[in-house]
Amino acid sequence: MVRRMLTGNAAAAWGARLAQVEYVPAFPITPQTEIIESLATWFADGTLSGKFVTMDSEHSMVTAAGAAAATGVRTFTATSSQGLVYAMEALYTVSGWRVPFVLVNVSRGLSSPITLGPDHNDVLAARDAGFIQIHVETCQEVLDSVLMAFRIAEDVRVSLPTLVNLDGFFLSFTREPVEIPDAKLVQEFLPAFHPQHPVFSGSQSLAQGVAVLDGATYSYFRYQMHRALENALEVHEEVAEAFSRLFGRRYRALEEYGMADAEIVLVMAGSFATKGKAAVNRWREQGRKVGLLRLRMLRPQPAADIARSLIGRKAVGVIDQNISPGLGGILYQEVSGALASAGERVPVMRSFIGGLGGKDISQGEFDWVLEALDGAKPSDGPVPCQLLFTDAEYEQVRMALSIAGKSQGGTAS
Amino acid sequence: MKVPREFYKGPKDIPHEEELSPGAPLCAGCGGLMTLRLMHKVLGENVVIVNAAGCMTLMATYPYSPIRSSWLYTTMGSVAAGAQGIRDALDIRRAKGKLSEQDEMKVLVLAGDGSTYDMGLSATSAAIHRRLDFWYLCYDNEAYGNTGFQMSSASPFASRTTTSPIGQQEPEGTFQEKKDMFELWRAQKPPYMATVSSHEVVDLAEKVKRSMAIKGPKLFLALAVCPTGWGFDPRMGDELAHLAVKTGIWPLKEAVDGVVRHTLIPSRFLPVEEYLRPQLRFRHLFEPAPHTEAMQAIQQKVDRYWEQVRKDEPAASPALNRGTSGT
Amino acid sequence: MRFHGRGGHGIKTASRIVGTAAFLAGYEVQDSPIYGAERRGAPVTAFTRIASSAILERGVITQPDLIICGDETLLESPASGVLNGVEQAAALFINTRNLEAIRAQGKLHVRMVALDITQRTSDRIGKASALSVGLGAAAARLSGLISCEQLGEGVRTELEELGLDAPMIEKNLLLAQEVYAELETVTVEPRKFSATAVIHKMGYDHVLLGTPSILAPGNAEARQTGAWRVERPEIDYDSCTRCGLCFVHCPDGAIALDEQGYPVIDYDHCKGCLICLEQCPRHSIRSKKEVRSW
Ligand SMILES: Cc1ncc(C[n+]2csc(CCOP(=O)(O)OP(=O)(O)O)c2C)c(N)n1
Ligand code: SF4
Ligand code: SF4
Ligand code: SF4
Ligand SMILES: [Mg+2]
């Protein structure tokens, strides 16, 4: 075991390296490219044995990844943003084959307008694709989650591709001290891949991805996929337990921070949760009972745990780093859905949108959110989502608009 | 002119084993199925067919499959990438001693013209570029057949499809020229590529057999007669495939590392009309009044093609010198 | 009402002719075809619903009042679904000249009505396979909801939409009138539909089961595509030279060569495309209209 300064991208590559991946189909896209560059080097110098192949698109890349997994090799790949949505058809296709492999997505806002900063619209667009989704907060968690992801994906109760999501820039290009687990221990944790159903091979006739035109049979296979994803919750618990025994770090589907007696709760996902934790600490110092719930596992959704964690709180605010135009925050809907059948209600639920395209969420904005939650009453009536966006930022945008020749005409609100 | 036969003297020498079971729910008289059946016979067992969305996708419809080897349906645009994943994984397992000799497989892409000429072109070009060791069979029925016969970039000039109907603006229906897929592929100099016809069974079998000694991309472009889309009585299917060759519309050739030779040149070319007339999709060239201009354009294009062949392949000239019959 | 036939018979058009006629007669109407994996020659189903008030149902008809079967050979094939819900149907119409033979089998317990639509179609319009008008006319008549004039309007509208020329449409109108006149209305009793469903609690099945894969190589052999056949190729072994051309050219691999090199046709799977017949240099293959056991 060594501790080193690693970026999130390097941690992802190290995860794949320690997992002894055999096959990496790849395609470049910022801010993910460093992951595949590292892996290309390791295959070239013999650190990894197998094959690295530069594909022609993410659509091809995911197809090749799925096909290789269906042929029985441990496969890893990575993408981001436009690449993930370009691959969308292939994501649904390969998950239907029920093949395990790991896909790292480095979150980045979607075009148009094209941008480089992170938000979660890319990865959330893939939330129904039949992939397990793990959203991480730190560089250490990136590495650990890649290892755990392989073990979950390959478990016979699951047998599905798994996506590990890290935020562009805030993790991908940010170095932190990361403990690189001992390779021997990793082998103990994650033995070589032994496929749990037939793979392509001359002595076994296998037709895979067959058309199913009958509604009942189609329902059966789709629901089995749902069941497999549900199983991933239990499998994740076991895998997390095994991981902690070997490496000392214990992960859960939901991370509870300052939740013991919290009355006001922030719900967040990804690396911006770190900023939320700072806000919780500051408010705690003033004796205010606030906490944070981080959604680590998004698919399968740990609905019962979400309900258990939130029921009984006075106010819950979900900060979404995404926007579903015409709806608002996606995770707000997900959390509300998890609570809907729980019997009891959280009196105040509010939706906030922040961090789109990597825009910062400042501590001032967190304070504003917490005050808003503190002052909110159940009787406030339907409350639309609130964009976290300051006057100063608005001024700055207006300046840009005027430079873009838009000082004339049009009216602002 | 026929190039000398190396492996098969006549149709009876074609392997008798059927690699596909009967019972596929494809149209009676489907030329695509016929081509696949013949190619598969020569390739033998231990094939994994990687399929792009199209008519052939319905061969394997749950819970039945006519495929005695293996099958993977992918998407319309990434079928060659599916072949890449399988081939690479087989190689990796082989190198690590996890795949025995008898478990080794041949990877065969099965794609229609829509996938080949349009949506899947970049994925295929990339696989050729990567020198992927695989076979590619494009059964070209010259339109998006599975969705009801819409125009693809393989639809020939003056053919009617449901999205290039005959109208005042476009009296020819499809006014575009068919993409020259052979030349597009050839630009990348794959080690082996060929056009085939389901009628010229021995020519087809010879080509598949020759390709089997070659590593890398082995690309087959087959004119696949389609009674349903083209509009003719299924019993005429093979005769129509024959006419496509005899009129010179569908040249039979191969290219090794990009160097072309024609493998079968009719001793006398029939007028293109003979091929066009029996098909509903060309009916508007004959009725209500003959569309001579379009027909001449088609004939001239064919004539020009063969004139060029005469220049490029003098060896083939004896046959060609007898000349084309013209319109 | 539910229509059955094979691809190319005009089953969808038959359902539409009745649909349009009923619509013109002022009813609430729904019609729809169902597409499967199969291509030309394979079984096809279409539906028409007619009501005097809003139709609060969609999709497949499992309990039809009338079943219109355009091809008697489908009665043998459970997969075609012709007999689904037949017990409660008011009538089963069969396009056949063999009604007595079908009755004699004693398998069907439903009121059966028959007429040789194929023959009448062939006589009137010279094309035996275009059954849409004849079947549509039969359905219209049996239903008792549509007058002969309304049926004519339905036929005209649908055939014009398909681009048929005026003389052809006139011939079809005469055919429709002829079929209409030859049949009688059946009484359709209003029925109570009982709907009980036992909901299955589905657990997780092993991934081997839960994946849409097939591990039985070539099991499509169990699909008897021979039932698609309208014409049957038959080999005259006296003149056959064992050249093997028919064997190589059969798209479906339905011809095998026996030990002496003679071709043998697998009638369970031969789809009747007749490519073999056309290819045989000796004209040793003849075709016969298919007659089945009914
Ligand atoms: C991304 C995508 N777009 C559209 C389709 C619909 N589609 C299915 S098959 C098909 C036609 C394919 O044409 P071709 O490749 O020529 O094969 P054919 O149907 O003629 O056999 C189309 C357009 C699809 N499956 N996927
Ligand atoms: S439509 Fe054409 S290509 Fe498709 S199955 Fe029918 S004959 Fe074959
Ligand atoms: S008619 Fe002949 S060629 Fe066609 S399926 Fe039957 S045996 Fe084969
Ligand atoms: S094609 Fe004719 S002559 Fe040749 S084997 Fe078949 S039946 Fe015999
Ligand atoms: Mg096509």
Side-chain angles (χ1 to χ4, degrees), chain A residues 392-408:
Chain A
E393 283 160 341
Y394 188 65
E395 272 317 303
Q396 180 198 325
V397 170
R398 289 304 297 252
M399 201 120 82
L401 291 176
S402 102
I403 295 168
K406 294 195 174 185
S407 47
Q408 312 289 310

Side-chain angles (χ1 to χ4, degrees), chain B residues 29 32 56 87 95 119 125 134-135 143 148 154 173 187 206 213 224 254 278 316:
Chain B
M56 299 299 140
R87 181 69 265 159
M119 201 185 283
S125 166
F134 76 130
W135 283 264
E206 289 270 313
E254 65 185 2

